[in-house]
């Protein structure tokens, strides 16, 4: 415990540096943000990232249970579920955030932006603990993933500089510099015909 505590304390400046970069990303990426102080004190995405950065450090040091308890506390407060085992790069931005899920073996590059309802998850683990290895996707640098997108599977890679449209369901890799989206649904409008009784 002493060795883990000492290692964690030594890492605090590096964690702080990462969080300052995340704060900049969350402020610069949201035109509605009036100040970094506002983001720091009131934005659920920033709160969840703050908890994740600390929990991840403990996870990497093989601390049992506490990292997951921390992530579940952030989940309960924000609706954002980031497993402490995920590897997330610099300048990470979660906009709005409600319903975001980031699985344990997810890898996220630098300057990535997620909107509400995004799932970076695993394909159905029907064999439970027998499933090992990488189960969750990889997201390259500078990618943007819009609301409601589900990206599943450990072999799924979202290439750098790609944009994933809202409500997309993706289980195959997307090449770098690609815009991927589902086909726009066709809207049907029906004008209600007045009943004979309504004409009187």
């Amino acid at each position: 415990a002493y060795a883990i505590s000492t290692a964690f304390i030594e890492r605090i400046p590096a964690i702080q540096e990462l969080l300052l970069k995340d704060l900049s990303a969350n402020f610069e990426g949201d035109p509605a943000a009036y100040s970094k102080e506002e983001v720091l004190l009131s934005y659920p995405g920033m709160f969840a990232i703050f908890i994740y950065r600390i929990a991840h450090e403990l996870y990497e040091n093989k601390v049992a249970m506490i990292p997951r308890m921390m992530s579940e506390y952030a989940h309960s407060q924000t609706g954002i579920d980031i497993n402490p085992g995920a590897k997330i790069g610099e300048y990470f931005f979660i906009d709005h955030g409600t319903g975001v899920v980031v699985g344990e073996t997810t890898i996220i590059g630098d300057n990535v932006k997620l909107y509400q309802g995004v799932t970076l998850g695993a394909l159905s683990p029907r064999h439970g603990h027998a499933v090992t290895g990488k189960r969750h996707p990889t997201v390259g640098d500078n990618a943007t993933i819009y609301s409601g997108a589900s990206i599943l599977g450990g072999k799924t890679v979202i290439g750098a500089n790609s944009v994933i449209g809202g409500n997309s369901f993706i289980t195959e890799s997307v090449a770098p510099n690609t815009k991927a989206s589902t086909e726009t649904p066709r809207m049907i409008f029906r004008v209600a015909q007045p009943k004979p009784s309504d004409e009187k």
Side-chain angles (χ1 to χ4, degrees), residues 7-196:
F8 176 76
I9 290 170
E10 290 175 351
R11 284 283 298 163
I12 287 177
I15 296 170
Q16 182 185 38
E17 184 178 345
L18 278 171
L19 286 167
L20 288 171
K21 291 176 179 179
D22 295 328
L23 179 59
S24 293
N26 280 259
F27 173 69
E28 298 294 338
D30 187 358
Y34 290 102
S35 67
K36 289 184 178 179
E37 290 78 12
E38 179 188 24
V39 173
L40 185 62
L41 295 173
S42 65
Y43 275 43
M46 189 64 220
F47 180 79
I49 293 168
F50 183 94
I51 297 293
Y52 158 78
R53 294 290 186 197
I54 297 171
H56 178 71
E57 197 65 36
L58 297 175
Y59 177 96
E60 289 291 289
N61 280 287
K62 305 292 190 278
V63 174
M65 198 178 300
I66 293 174
R68 191 57 185 264
M69 292 171 65
M70 293 172 67
S71 67
E72 289 303 330
Y73 173 75
H75 184 194
S76 70
Q77 296 296 305
T78 65
I80 299 168
D81 183 2
I82 306 176
N83 190 289
K87 299 182 188 304
I88 301 176
E90 301 177 345
Y91 297 100
F92 183 45
F93 177 28
I94 300 175
D95 202 358
H96 302 293
T98 305
V100 165
V101 176
V102 179
E104 181 183 27
T105 61
T106 301
I107 298 173
I108 297 176
D110 298 335
N111 299 296
V112 170
K113 183 174 184 178
L114 306 182
Y115 282 83
Q116 68 273 15
V118 167
T119 296
L120 302 177
L123 294 166
S124 180
R126 297 187 182 276
H127 302 290
H129 289 283
V131 179
T132 59
K134 193 170 187 314
R135 308 183 308 280
H136 304 92
T138 297
V139 179
D141 296 345
N142 307 306
T144 299
I145 305 176
Y146 283 101
S147 59
S150 293
I151 302 170
L152 309 178
K155 295 181 180 179
T156 304
V157 177
I158 303 303
N161 309 304
S162 291
V163 176
I164 306 301
N167 298 315
S168 300
F169 184 83
I170 295 177
T171 57
E172 297 179 0
S173 293
V174 174
N177 306 299
T178 300
K179 291 184 178 179
S181 61
T182 55
E183 186 176 354
T184 303
R186 187 168 64 93
M187 299 296 292
I188 299 174
F189 298 92
R190 293 185 177 90
V191 178
Q193 297 298 320
K195 296 178 181 178

